Amino acid sequence: MPAPPDTVPLRNPTDAWALVITTVRLGRPWSTRPTDLMAGVWLPAQPSADVHQGDVAVRLHPPANHDPGKTKVEILTATAYGWHNMLTLPSMDARWPHHLAATLVAWMRALADEAERAIGQRLFTSSVGAPPYPDGLDQLIDAGLLAPGDELVWNGHTAIVGHGGALLHGTEPAPVFPTAVSALATRLATPTTVNGWYLWRRARDGRLLADLRAELAIAPLSVQR
C-alpha cells in the first residue's frame, strides 16, 4: 500500500480459502495513507489451525447486497482449538486494508507475545504433559524436519533452533535469548509487524518454515529428515 483501488482484492480468488497476513507496516497516523504496507499469502484450502497457531487470516466475501464494489471482511486467528472469527465487517470498500491495518497489527503482535511468554514458561518450568506452545518449532523437531542447532536465516539475520523449539538469537556481548518465530522476526523488522513463518528459511536448503509446516500438516510425526 498505497495501491490503486482496482488492484485491491474484494473477493477471495476461486482457488483460495483465506489470505494469511505476512507483513503490515503502519505509517504516520495523521497521513492520508496510514498504512504503508500490507502483504499476505493466499491459502488454497483451510489448514489445520493447530499447526497454524499464531496466524491471522482474512477472508473476503460478497456483502449482503452483492455490491461488486464492496466486500464483507472476516478476520480469523488460529489457535490450538481451531480457527476463530475475531471480527466481521459487513460492507467495506477497497480501503479495507487501511481501515483494518492497526487491528491486524495488534492481533499479530499479541499472538507473538503470547507465544514468547509460553516458551519462557516451558523453558523454566516442568513441561511434562504441557501442550505445544503456539508459534514454536517443537512439532517440526518431533517430525524430524528441524533439529536443535539448525540455523534459520532471513534478511542477513541468523537464528539457532534451541531445545524445546525456541529460537536463539544474539551473540556476546549481546544476550542470547529464547523466543518464538514471529516474535523474533517482528523484533528484527520493527516498525514492521511480520509473520515469521513466511520469512525464516532453513539455512541448509533454503526452505521456508511455512513450507516445512505445511509438510508437517500433511503427514504429522511421520516425516523423516
Side-chain angles (χ1 to χ4, degrees):
M1 305 295 291
D6 61 352
T7 68
V8 177
L10 296 176
R11 303 287 187 273
N12 283 6
T14 56
D15 58 349
W17 171 74
L19 181 74
V20 171
I21 303 300
T22 61
T23 309
V24 184
R25 184 175 64 239
L26 300 179
R28 297 175 180 176
W30 58 87
S31 71
T32 58
R33 291 192 289 262
T35 307
D36 286 339
L37 175 67
M38 180 180 290
V41 174
W42 289 106
L43 294 179
Q46 182 173 343
S48 165
D50 178 61
V51 175
H52 279 253
Q53 288 183 65
D55 280 4
V56 176
V58 170
R59 301 191 72 201
L60 305 174
H61 308 278
N65 63 1
H66 296 281
D67 183 343
K70 298 290 182 67
T71 183
K72 181 172 76 172
V73 182
E74 179 185 12
I75 301 178
L76 306 171
T77 60
T79 73
Y81 306 103
W83 288 92
H84 298 281
N85 182 310
M86 304 299 292
L87 178 67
T88 298
L89 297 172
S91 183
M92 303 195 75
D93 61 18
R95 287 185 55 83
W96 68 262
H98 294 291
H99 294 302
L100 293 179
T103 298
L104 294 171
V105 163
W107 279 330
M108 289 173 71
R109 293 199 171 189
L111 291 167
D113 290 345
E114 176 189 349
E116 194 163 44
R117 286 192 298 270
I119 284 176
Q121 291 173 355
R122 288 175 65 93
L123 290 177
F124 297 107
T125 62
S126 173
S127 61
V128 175
Y133 47 75
D135 204 18
L137 299 170
D138 54 339
Q139 291 172 303
L140 293 179
I141 292 174
D142 290 343
L145 291 165
L146 286 176
D150 278 350
E151 291 187 348
L152 303 180
V153 293
W154 162 64
N155 198 31
H157 302 290
T158 300
I160 307 298
V161 177
H163 290 280
L167 280 182
L168 306 177
H169 177 263
T171 57
E172 297 296 339
V176 176
F177 57 90
T179 186
V181 171
S182 292
L184 177 56
T186 293
R187 184 176 290 115
L188 296 172
T190 299
T192 306
T193 300
V194 296
N195 182 328
W197 288 93
Y198 294 88
L199 298 176
W200 293 108
R201 294 179 180 272
R202 193 168 60 182
R204 55 187 166 88
D205 58 7
R207 292 192 65 191
L208 274 176
L209 285 185
D211 293 338
L212 298 178
R213 184 174 66 172
E215 188 172 337
L216 174 66
I218 296 171
L221 303 184
S222 64
V223 182
Q224 298 299 319
R225 284 203 303 161

